[in-house]
Amino acid sequence: MPPTSRPLRKLGFLTIGLFDEADPRRGHESTLEIIELGERLGFDSAWLRHRHLQYGISSPVAVMAAASQRTSRIELGTAVIPLGWENPLRLAEDLATVDILSGGRINPGVSVGPPMHYDQLKEALYPDTADVEDFSYERVRRLLDFVRGKPATDFSGVEGFEVFSDRVQPHSPGLGRRLWYGGGSTGSAKWAGEHGMNFLTSSVVKAEGPDESRDFAEIQLSHVRTFRAHHPDGEAARVSQGLVVIPTDSASPEQRAKYEEFARKRTPRTTSPQGPARLMFAPDIVGTSAEIAELLGAHAAFREIDEVAFALPFTFEHEDYVQILTDMATKLGPALGWQPAA
């Protein structure tokens, strides 16, 4: 690893938690077992993707609650909860409750924007307010205020035998510092920094402006620097990078072939901006830990971060995830300067 890179301080992983429609419990159990394995291997964090009306985790807050009772140290995050599906006040209550139950270990990541396929589901989601719902950053600001203890009402006190608070209960004092924004644009990076959030940057960014010559890493680096330039903590502001990284050190020949084919099929989308949003995708990185460490050491954005949540491929088997996580913790992490938690 080049000496100008920051040693990796926090190693995490991200899972979508796929399940079979005919046996959803088995898939959720697999996710919880993977998180338990992550804790035993010394990972610092485990992150959950969020999928609605699909065969992945639709309620990561509930899964975090379950995981919090089966682990004792590993941090639990979401990457990310799309707030277009959520009421910020109710979500604040759920997050604070799970944070209390976990002993202050959750790291909720959120994003904004209309829900995917909104025209097809808005009558089910918001039958009376679909055309006036606000999916802007204002939705995040409301969540931040509620989590950080600002009043939600002008009423508090005793009414009969019941006692009422004017702010979300329970209140978890440290949670407001552990909220993350998942962003892929300059505007998102700036907003997250200005509002004192942490910043999740993944394997997808927006190619903005007329300059199409910049590669993915350069675009991502500009977002990291924009975020820190607008954050009160400056260079100390927390950024986590979430690339798809697949170490093969202990993989069988069949596993290696599957991993390489997975990456090969996804490579064409990485060559140019995709769709009206001009999304840029990072290439998946498959290889030995030594090979991956060398590639990451030359990655412009990776060289300026010290936290990662490497994304597990969505469609692999449980035993594949065991092999990948084991190699990450025992080979790749140490090659990047990381040390497992006790």
Side-chain angles (χ1 to χ4, degrees):
M1 185 173 63
T4 52
S5 295
R6 301 184 183 204
L8 190 63
R9 184 173 58 87
K10 285 184 175 287
L11 175 63
F13 64 91
L14 168 66
T15 179
I16 195 173
L18 285 185
F19 59 83
D20 185 338
E21 182 181 15
D23 186 15
R25 180 174 180 176
R26 179 60 245 160
H28 285 77
E29 279 293 321
S30 173
T31 296
L32 293 172
E33 290 166 9
I34 287 296
I35 293 172
E36 290 178 285
L37 172 64
E39 177 161 278
R40 293 195 300 271
L41 289 170
F43 277 86
D44 298 290
S45 60
W47 300 75
L48 306 175
R49 283 198 185 275
H50 199 148
R51 289 292 185 268
H52 286 295
L53 303 180
Q54 294 180 263
Y55 305 107
I57 297 169
S58 62
S59 183
V61 179
V63 176
M64 284 196 299
S68 76
Q69 303 306 294
R70 292 168 63 156
T71 57
S72 62
R73 176 198 52 78
I74 194 168
E75 295 186 355
L76 305 167
T78 61
V80 289
I81 297 173
L83 289 186
W85 287 77
E86 305 289 341
N87 179 297
L89 177 58
R90 276 291 300 115
L91 181 60
E93 292 178 324
D94 287 346
L95 294 175
T97 299
V98 177
D99 199 48
I100 294 293
L101 291 173
S102 73
R105 288 189 283 138
I106 74 165
N107 286 261
V110 301
S111 66
V112 295
M116 188 180 297
H117 305 304
Y118 187 55
D119 286 343
Q120 287 74 41
L121 62 84
K122 62 184 181 182
E123 292 304 317
L125 185 59
Y126 297 115
D128 302 316
T129 60
D131 295 329
V132 297
E133 288 291 331
D134 183 356
F135 298 124
S136 71
Y137 293 124
E138 174 64 13
R139 219 173 182 95
V140 191
R141 188 199 60 75
R142 289 171 56 203
L143 178 67
L144 286 173
D145 285 350
F146 296 142
V147 167
R148 290 171 176 173
K150 290 192 176 180
T153 175
D154 59 3
F155 172 74
S156 63
V158 179
E159 186 174 78
F161 294 103
E162 298 190 65
V163 181
F164 292 86
S165 171
D166 62 355
R167 67 177 184 172
V168 165
Q169 296 298 338
H171 176 65
S172 185
L175 182 57
R177 297 190 298 274
R178 283 181 272 111
L179 287 169
W180 297 72
Y181 189 84
S185 69
T186 302
S188 293
K190 180 175 180 289
W191 193 94
E194 290 173 341
H195 289 79
M197 300 186 74
N198 307 305
F199 189 57
L200 290 167
T201 180
S202 70
S203 57
V204 186
V205 298
K206 287 186 178 180
E208 301 166 301
D211 182 5
E212 296 185 17
S213 64
R214 295 187 303 164
D215 65 11
F216 175 94
E218 291 172 334
I219 295 171
Q220 192 172 61
L221 174 62
S222 72
H223 296 167
V224 172
R225 289 180 172 174
T226 296
F227 166 72
R228 286 182 168 146
H230 290 86
H231 196 287
D233 294 340
E235 288 299 305
R238 294 179 67 185
V239 178
S240 180
Q241 185 189 49
L243 303 178
V244 178
V245 171
I246 310 173
T248 60
D249 301 86
S250 66
S252 68
E254 293 76 18
Q255 285 175 317
R256 283 195 294 272
K258 177 167 66 173
Y259 302 164
E260 289 165 0
E261 178 66 6
F262 170 84
R264 186 192 66 78
K265 288 182 177 179
R266 286 157 51 98
T267 297
R269 68 178 188 166
T270 70
T271 58
S272 61
Q274 303 292 301
R278 294 177 49 75
L279 299 179
M280 288 287 292
F281 292 85
D284 302 330
I285 305 177
V286 181
T288 66
S289 290
E291 292 168 339
I292 294 172
E294 183 175 358
L295 288 171
L296 289 175
H299 192 288
F302 180 84
R303 291 164 65 89
E304 295 199 13
I305 58 93
D306 61 6
E307 300 187 42
V308 296
F310 290 137
L312 297 176
F314 296 166
T315 56
F316 289 0
E317 301 299 322
H318 183 89
E319 56 268 25
D320 299 329
Y321 297 139
V322 171
Q323 175 266 311
I324 291 168
L325 289 180
T326 301
D327 282 356
M328 279 186 185
T330 60
K331 300 286 198 307
L332 178 57
L336 297 171
W338 173 80
Q339 294 184 347

